[in-house]
């Protein structure tokens, strides 16, 4: 049944002020418009709510019965409306995204700098987490979108690939393998390597690509994060295999990334979003900047990066 909230609002205002004149002034209506609302409400209910004389307005028994219920309904509606309005304002002033830590470290800073030029008043909250966590944040509506590894098992999310990114061997520039145009996994047998924790998506991708061959590798060290693996390479402790775009070689002149083959290993980096939660204008703008930056940096990093978005 349709509820006449405007009529109920008029009814409460008249009942609380005891006059049509005071209620009309409070609601910024003419007395004619207010009378029309009340007449419509009473016609809809099929009962009189007020007894009106030239001197006063009094509630009928039906009006007295309706008064507390109408006040409760309007108060509940007002509270819900205010809560939704606060959420809307918070969403306009705050943007939350998920992002792989490696991407957040090396690629988000210049993107966010450009974003802030257009949206200087928006607070950006970055959930820098593992791929599975990012997908969960987006699915639950805790992040507008996530920059992560695209996974076929998240059918409940919209996935927009940005690029296919190869894994490379990272070593010191003085290492004998640094001068090679490429290196095979077979040539790495016996070489001390750092690998990432089993909980990380990067580890799963490498393990799946190698199959049983991974047992022949000398995994001397195991760490939780790519940044830790890079630090061990920088110190000359071991070599590691990492996603190409996870490494800022411009900021690390002492390191070299060498293509790795037989088998080649790659991951698809992209954006996941929840089709039930449309992106805000700010979110759309930030996503556009992300795609543009990936396109530029992918072209500069290696010609083998295959772009999926144009």
């Amino acid at each position: 049944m349709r509820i006449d909230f405007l009529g109920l609002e008029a009814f409460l205002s008249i009942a609380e002020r005891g006059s049509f004149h005071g209620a009309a002034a409070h609601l910024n209506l003419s007395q004619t418009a207010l009378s029309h609302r009340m007449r419509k409400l009473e016609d809809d209910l099929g009962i009189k709510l007020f007894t009106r004389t030239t001197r006063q307005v009094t509630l009928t028994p039906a009006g007295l019965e309706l008064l507390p219920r109408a006040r409760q309904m309007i108060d509940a509606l007002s509270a819900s409306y205010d809560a939704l309005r606060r959420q809307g304002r918070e969403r306009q002033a705050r943007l939350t995204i998920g992002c792989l830590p490696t991407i957040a470290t090396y690629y988000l800073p210049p993107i966010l700098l450009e974003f802030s030029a257009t949206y200087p008043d928006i607070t950006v909250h970055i959930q820098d987490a593992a791929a599975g966590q990012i997908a969960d944040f987006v699915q639950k509506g805790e992040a507008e979108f996530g920059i992560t590894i695209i996974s076929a098992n998240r059918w409940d999310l919209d996935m927009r690939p940005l690029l296919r990114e190869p894994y490379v061997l990272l070593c010191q520039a003085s290492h004998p393998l640094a001068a090679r145009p490429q290196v095979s996994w077979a040539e790495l047998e016996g070489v001390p390597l750092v690998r990432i924790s089993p909980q990380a998506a990067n580890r799963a991708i490498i393990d799946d690509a190698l199959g049983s061959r991974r047992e022949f590798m000398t995994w001397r060290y195991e760490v939780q994060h790519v940044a830790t693996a890079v630090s061990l390479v920088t110190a000359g402790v071991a070599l590691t295999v990492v996603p190409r775009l996870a490494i800022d070689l411009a900021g690390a002149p002492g390191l070299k990334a060498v293509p790795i083959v037989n088998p080649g290993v790659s991951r698809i980096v992209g954006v996941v979003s929840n089709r039930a939660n449309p992106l805000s204008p700010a979110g759309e703008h930030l996503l556009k900047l992300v795609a543009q930056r990936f396109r530029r940096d992918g072209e500069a990093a290696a010609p083998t990066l295959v772009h999926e978005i144009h």
Side-chain angles (χ1 to χ4, degrees), residues 170-174 178 234 247-257:
L170 188 68
C171 59
Q172 288 185 321
S174 58
T234 302
I247 308 303
D248 179 18
L249 292 176
L255 300 181
K256 181 71 180 294

Side-chain angles (χ1 to χ4, degrees), residues 259-307:
I260 189 166
V261 296
N262 297 326
V265 185
S266 65
R267 68 179 184 176
I268 297 178
V269 177
V271 173
V272 294
S273 58
N274 190 333
R275 60 180 66 92
N277 297 317
L279 297 183
S280 64
E284 288 280 7
H285 183 69
L286 182 56
L287 177 55
K288 179 181 178 181
L289 295 179
V290 168
Q292 290 174 346
R293 180 59 189 259
F294 266 79
R295 185 176 299 119
R296 291 196 304 267
D297 286 7
E299 291 168 351
T304 56
L305 296 181
V306 180
H307 299 282

Side-chain angles (χ1 to χ4, degrees), residues 149 165-169 185 201-206 241-244 258-261 264-268:
I149 299 171
E165 176 189 13
Y167 283 69
V168 294
L169 175 70
W185 284 97
N202 286 326
R203 165 73 172 273
I205 290 172
I206 293 174
V241 176
V242 292
R244 173 62 187 84
V258 183
I260 189 166
V261 296
V265 185
S266 65
R267 68 179 184 176
I268 297 178

Side-chain angles (χ1 to χ4, degrees), residues 171-219:
C171 59
Q172 288 185 321
S174 58
H175 193 279
L177 292 176
R180 300 281 299 277
Q182 63 185 32
V183 62
S184 69
W185 284 97
E187 294 173 293
L188 294 179
E189 293 181 14
V191 176
L193 298 172
V194 185
R195 67 176 171 181
I196 311 300
S197 163
Q199 287 73 37
N202 286 326
R203 165 73 172 273
I205 290 172
I206 293 174
D207 284 353
D208 289 346
L210 289 180
S212 60
R213 180 177 290 181
R214 65 178 179 269
E215 304 301 330
F216 297 97
M217 300 294 107
T218 305
W219 303 111

Side-chain angles (χ1 to χ4, degrees), residues 49-120:
L49 299 174
F50 290 108
T51 299
R52 185 178 183 182
T53 67
T54 55
R55 293 187 176 183
Q56 62 180 1
V57 176
T58 58
L59 288 164
T60 65
L64 288 170
E65 182 180 354
L66 177 62
L67 182 60
R69 297 178 182 178
R71 183 175 288 120
Q72 184 180 20
M73 290 173 61
I74 295 298
D75 287 346
L77 179 63
S78 178
S80 296
Y81 183 84
D82 287 343
L84 288 173
R85 184 167 55 184
R86 283 196 301 272
Q87 290 178 17
R89 288 176 177 173
E90 288 174 0
R91 176 160 180 168
Q92 291 175 1
R94 179 184 174 94
L95 173 61
T96 300
I97 66 169
C99 188
L100 294 172
T102 50
I103 301 298
T105 299
Y106 297 114
Y107 289 89
L108 275 189
I111 293 172
L112 294 176
L113 184 62
E114 188 174 356
F115 173 81
S116 65
T118 304
Y119 291 93

Side-chain angles (χ1 to χ4, degrees), residues 5-25:
F5 286 103
L6 291 178
L8 289 174
E9 181 186 47
F11 166 72
L12 285 176
S13 188
I14 296 168
E16 290 169 353
R17 287 160 184 79
S19 75
F20 274 65
H21 176 75

